[in-house]
Amino acid sequence: PICLAPSCPHCGSVARPAVLLFGEDYASRHEAGGQAEEWAAWKQRVLDALAADRSKRLVVIEIGAGTAVPSVRDAGESLLRRAGSRQCTLVRINPTPMLGDNTT
């Protein structure tokens, strides 16, 4: 079979954003392929850069992670707490469930 998905320029594996899609298990998705370690290392690099230069700013954009997805909300709030509100802004888009059919 031919795979039309983009590939990672570093390892050749299928490139996929580190996002949680509906129907996926958070724990297995987050732990797959060392993503937890990569995520922790990235956060630390960002926090170190912010600490080294107080003029830098971080914007965390959270899309559609209502109260039903606390793990995503916790990640953004954690960065906001650790970086401080003067250097970090958390933007929530569609933070509440949509009204209507909730079967999907």
Side-chain angles (χ1 to χ4, degrees):
I2 297 173
C3 180
L4 299 177
S7 61
C8 172
H10 303 287
C11 70
S13 295
V14 173
R16 184 179 188 279
V19 297
L20 181 66
L21 301 174
F22 288 103
E24 290 185 322
D25 175 52
Y26 176 77
S28 64
R29 175 73 184 122
H30 189 64
E31 296 299 325
Q35 284 187 352
E37 293 82 12
E38 290 176 23
W39 169 242
W42 178 85
K43 285 189 297 185
Q44 192 58 56
R45 285 192 307 272
V46 168
L47 292 169
D48 290 347
L50 291 172
D53 184 349
R54 295 292 179 184
S55 69
K56 289 187 179 197
R57 300 290 180 260
L58 171 67
V59 176
V60 177
I61 301 173
E62 180 186 283
I63 302 172
T67 56
V69 191
S71 57
V72 174
R73 294 174 70 93
D74 292 346
E77 290 170 1
S78 172
L79 278 169
L80 180 64
R81 280 190 306 275
R82 292 181 66 191
S85 60
R86 290 187 180 177
Q87 282 186 279
C88 183
T89 300
L90 175 60
V91 178
R92 287 192 163 134
I93 299 170
N94 296 335
T96 56
M98 299 296 293
L99 297 177
D101 184 7
N102 195 22
T103 59
T104 57

